[in-house]
């Protein structure tokens, strides 16, 4: 039997071998072509690049790590769309374009913090726009880029982070040229340009990109400027070209923040007038305490007030920042409101601790040299009392149709179980508020004889109310009768008829015996 089947087995085996070869030959070229197509496709589609807008990487949670790996240095802007700070963002884009032209190793990126909330949380972004600098792909230790607002400052900040933070000055001629190169320059005199105090100087230079920094160990330069110790010198040029200087001895024990505080304090005028341009620089100075003078430039006594203020400012320079706010300028209304300054206050002096957000009122009404000195010294000694957040309850506050509220009586009047309270929050400096106060008086007369309705007003520049958030002035809020602290924000027209119609729709009637 085995002999009979043997030829058949060989035949079947031979047939299978032939079929396999034929199949391999037939299929092989097809698979080969498919492989070639696949290879060609992969060659045509390289790994996807991160999208760029105006030379700035558009970063998301999904591509952030990729951007870190592909960039030796990465400066990332965290922003909120329509935040009103478009000028800074435009300067950021301008700097990115400049780096692109230079074929720099530094890449710029941006993160829409509204969309990428997880990234904002990871890097603890609290203010906008915020800038973080990442080096060598280190995601855990980014460096904050603060106080930088122009394209040139972004570029200087970057270059000081990735290269030398100060120009080396080797001769008297170079020193003269350097100190005359800008309105404000910083020149460090160090006997040794390696280690020790000079490293503190280099660290400060990295944090102040808007000022030119130079450094020298040349003894002839030392002698020319009568310098004998390691010294940081700030040169300021006046309009007529005259230079003035401020010196600070730099020791091993001196901290980088002390140098930054010195530079930022002395780069500014003795008294800085508050306006749109200076408001940003004021808060760049790492000095916690600000003394603020509110006065009208047009007043007869202004020259004497200002001179007294300057004198005390010179005595406390570096410890307290002295700021002047012109009460003639209507655009300063928000500042008046913050310090609870009203029309009849000026001249007035306040102190603000920007770290604790605590304000202090000078107890004396007259802005004399003695009063300013006493107030500043008592604050520095910890003896000054914080400013109260409420006016005193005025006599007869509830005798007129419109009741007068202050911080002290606000809560127990508006959060009333049996009365509906309609309140106007106003600022005396606001023209719109002044126009509407007579209308509010008329509303008070209409409802004066109704026991379940109170029409009231409060000067919110002189009283702080923690239970109510105000976005603008005037603001109108309705507090329905009841035990809960419910607040209804009024958004209708600001007319007598609209106010009255709103009240009629929302009045709640709760009788005292229906508890």
């Amino acid at each position: 039997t085995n002999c009979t089947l043997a030829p058949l087995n060989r035949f079947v085996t031979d047939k299978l071998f032939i079929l396999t070869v034929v199949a391999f030959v037939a299929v092989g070229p097809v698979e080969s072509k498919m492989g070639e197509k696949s290879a060609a496709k992969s060659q045509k589609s390289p790994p996807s690049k991160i999208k760029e807008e105006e030379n700035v990487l558009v970063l998301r949670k999904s591509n952030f790590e990729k951007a870190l790996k592909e960039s030796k240095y990465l400066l990332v802007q965290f922003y909120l769309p329509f935040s009103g700070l478009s000028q800074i963002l435009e300067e950021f884009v301008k700097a990115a374009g400049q780096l692109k032209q230079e074929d720099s190793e530094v890449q710029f990126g941006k993160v829409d913090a509204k969309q990428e909330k997880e990234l904002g949380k990871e890097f603890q972004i609290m203010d906008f726009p915020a800038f973080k600098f990442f080096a060598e792909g280190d995601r855990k230790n980014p460096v904050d880029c603060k106080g930088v607002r122009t394209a040139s400052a972004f570029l200087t900040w970057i270059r000081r982070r990735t290269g030398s933070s100060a120009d080396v000055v080797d001769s008297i001629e170079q020193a003269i040229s350097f100190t005359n190169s800008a309105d404000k320059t910083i020149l460090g005199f160090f006997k040794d340009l390696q280690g020790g105090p000079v490293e503190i100087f280099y660290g400060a230079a990295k944090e102040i990109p808007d000022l030119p920094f130079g450094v020298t160990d040349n003894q002839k330069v030392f002698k020319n400027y009568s310098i004998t110790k390691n010294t940081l010198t700030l040169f300021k040029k006046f309009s007529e070209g005259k230079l003035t200087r401020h010196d600070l001895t730099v020791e091993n024990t001196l901290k980088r923040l002390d140098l930054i505080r010195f530079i930022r304090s002395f780069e500014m005028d003795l008294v800085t007038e508050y306006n749109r341009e200076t408001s940003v620089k004021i808060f760049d100075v790492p000095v916690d305490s600000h003394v603020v003078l509110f006065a009208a430039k047009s007043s007869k006594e202004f020259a004497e007030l200002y001179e007294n203020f300057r004198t005390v400012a010179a005595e406390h320079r570096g410890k307290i920042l002295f700021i002047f706010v012109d009460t003639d300028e209507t655009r300063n209304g928000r500042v008046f409101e913050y310090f609870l300054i009203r029309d009849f206050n000026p001249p007035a002096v306040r102190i603000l601790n920007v770290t604790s957000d605590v304000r202090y009122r000078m107890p004396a009404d007259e802005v004399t040299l003695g009063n300013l000195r006493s107030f500043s010294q008592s604050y520095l000694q910890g003896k000054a009392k914080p400013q109260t957040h409420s006016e005193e309850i005025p006599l007869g506050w509830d005798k007129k149709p419109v009741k007068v509220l202050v911080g002290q009586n606000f809560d127990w009047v508006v959060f009333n179980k049996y009365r509906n309270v309609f309140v106007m929050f106003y600022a005396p400096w606001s023209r719109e508020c002044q126009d509407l106060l007579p209308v509010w008086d008329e509303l008070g007369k209409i409802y004066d004889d109704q026991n379940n309705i109170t029409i009231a007003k409060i000067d919110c520049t002189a009283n702080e109310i923690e239970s109510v958030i105000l976005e603008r002035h005037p603001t109108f809020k309705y507090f329905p009768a009841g035990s809960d602290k419910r607040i209804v924000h009024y958004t209708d027209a600001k007319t007598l008829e609209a106010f009255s119609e709103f009240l009629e729709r929302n009045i709640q009637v709760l009788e005292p015996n229906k508890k």
Side-chain angles (χ1 to χ4, degrees), residues 236 265 267-283 285 290-298 302 306 309-310 313 317 321-332 335-336:
K236 292 177 70 174
S265 297
E267 99 174 89
M268 302 186 77
D269 295 332
L270 264 178
V271 175
T272 301
E273 181 175 351
Y274 180 90
N275 54 45
R276 184 177 295 179
E277 289 73 30
T278 62
S279 61
V280 176
K281 293 190 74 68
I282 285 169
F283 290 98
V285 181
H290 296 180
V291 178
V292 188
L293 168 66
F294 294 87
K297 278 186 178 179
S298 60
F302 176 72
Y306 193 77
F309 201 60
R310 275 180 56 85
R317 196 164 199 175
L321 205 61
F322 282 70
I323 300 162
F324 161 64
V325 178
D326 183 7
T327 55
D328 286 337
E329 176 54 72
T330 56
R331 286 176 293 185
N332 291 334
V335 187
F336 307 155

Side-chain angles (χ1 to χ4, degrees), residues 201-346:
F201 175 80
Y202 289 144
K206 290 179 179 179
E207 301 296 334
I208 307 178
D210 53 324
L211 294 178
F213 275 69
V215 65
T216 185
D217 63 351
N218 187 289
Q219 289 305 304
K220 290 182 179 179
V221 178
F222 269 66
K223 187 176 180 180
N224 185 65
Y225 291 94
S226 302
I227 300 290
T228 58
K229 298 180 180 180
N230 291 329
T231 302
L232 178 149
T233 300
L234 168 66
F235 292 88
K236 292 177 70 174
K237 187 191 298 182
F238 291 98
S239 55
E240 62 272 18
K242 181 182 177 182
L243 282 177
T244 184
R245 55 184 270 195
H246 304 282
D247 295 342
L248 177 68
T249 301
V250 182
E251 302 169 347
N252 284 316
T253 55
L254 201 63
K255 296 180 180 178
R256 183 183 58 178
L257 183 60
D258 295 328
L259 263 65
I260 296 172
R261 184 180 291 115
F262 172 83
I263 294 167
R264 286 303 192 192
S265 297
F266 281 84
E267 99 174 89
M268 302 186 77
D269 295 332
L270 264 178
V271 175
T272 301
E273 181 175 351
Y274 180 90
N275 54 45
R276 184 177 295 179
E277 289 73 30
T278 62
S279 61
V280 176
K281 293 190 74 68
I282 285 169
F283 290 98
D284 281 344
V285 181
V287 174
D288 293 337
S289 306
H290 296 180
V291 178
V292 188
L293 168 66
F294 294 87
K297 278 186 178 179
S298 60
S299 64
K300 293 179 180 179
E301 67 272 19
F302 176 72
E304 183 181 352
L305 291 175
Y306 193 77
E307 190 56 37
N308 290 340
F309 201 60
R310 275 180 56 85
T311 300
V312 180
E315 297 170 357
H316 297 288
R317 196 164 199 175
K319 297 178 183 177
I320 307 178
L321 205 61
F322 282 70
I323 300 162
F324 161 64
V325 178
D326 183 7
T327 55
D328 286 337
E329 176 54 72
T330 56
R331 286 176 293 185
N332 291 334
R334 286 292 184 187
V335 187
F336 307 155
E337 174 194 339
Y338 180 79
F339 284 95
L340 308 182
I341 298 292
R342 290 160 293 167
D343 290 342
F344 54 82
N345 279 138

Side-chain angles (χ1 to χ4, degrees), residues 18-244:
I18 292 169
L19 288 172
T20 302
V21 170
V22 171
F24 176 81
V25 171
V27 174
V30 176
E31 289 181 342
S32 176
K33 288 176 183 176
M34 289 177 65
E36 288 173 5
K37 287 182 180 179
S38 178
K41 188 176 180 181
S42 70
Q43 288 177 0
K44 290 179 182 179
S45 304
S48 59
K49 289 185 177 180
I50 298 174
K51 180 183 176 183
E52 284 190 17
E53 291 179 355
E54 298 180 294
N55 303 310
V56 178
L57 298 175
V58 180
L59 302 179
R60 308 181 189 282
K61 180 187 175 184
S62 58
N63 64 16
F64 199 87
E65 188 63 31
K66 176 182 173 66
L68 287 177
K69 289 179 179 178
E70 293 179 352
S71 308
K72 185 174 182 179
Y73 302 109
L74 179 63
L75 181 62
V76 180
Q77 166 204 135
F78 294 81
Y79 71 99
L80 288 176
F82 314 111
S83 64
L85 295 168
S86 57
Q87 186 176 354
I88 299 176
L89 308 185
E90 288 172 7
E91 293 294 314
F92 185 79
V93 167
K94 200 182 297 182
Q98 180 64 35
L99 289 174
K100 196 80 169 181
Q101 289 180 5
E102 297 173 4
D103 197 24
S104 171
E105 292 183 302
V106 181
Q107 180 71 60
F108 278 23
K110 62 180 181 180
V111 172
D112 181 343
K114 185 176 181 181
Q115 296 291 331
E116 304 297 327
K117 293 180 180 178
E118 288 188 38
L119 287 176
K121 185 177 180 180
E122 178 184 351
F123 298 112
Q124 300 178 344
I125 306 300
M126 305 298 290
D127 300 312
F128 299 94
F131 302 90
K132 297 275 185 180
F133 180 68
F134 299 83
E136 307 287 353
D138 185 354
R139 187 170 184 147
K140 299 294 183 182
N141 300 290
V143 177
D144 289 323
C145 175
K146 293 183 177 180
V148 182
R149 293 172 183 84
T150 65
S152 60
F154 277 117
L155 293 171
T156 302
W157 193 94
I158 285 291
R159 286 163 184 159
R160 289 182 184 171
R161 286 282 165 185
T162 58
S164 175
S165 60
D167 297 331
V168 177
V169 174
D170 284 329
S171 67
I172 295 173
E173 292 74 22
Q174 282 186 356
I176 293 172
S177 176
F178 175 78
T179 56
N180 281 283
S181 63
D183 290 339
K184 302 180 186 82
T185 54
I186 313 295
L187 184 57
F189 296 81
F190 293 94
K191 295 179 180 180
D192 186 354
L193 296 186
Q194 299 294 326
V198 75
E199 294 299 329
I200 304 171
F201 175 80
Y202 289 144
K206 290 179 179 179
E207 301 296 334
I208 307 178
D210 53 324
L211 294 178
F213 275 69
V215 65
T216 185
D217 63 351
N218 187 289
Q219 289 305 304
K220 290 182 179 179
V221 178
F222 269 66
K223 187 176 180 180
N224 185 65
Y225 291 94
S226 302
I227 300 290
T228 58
K229 298 180 180 180
N230 291 329
T231 302
L232 178 149
T233 300
L234 168 66
F235 292 88
K236 292 177 70 174
K237 187 191 298 182
F238 291 98
S239 55
E240 62 272 18
K242 181 182 177 182
L243 282 177
T244 184

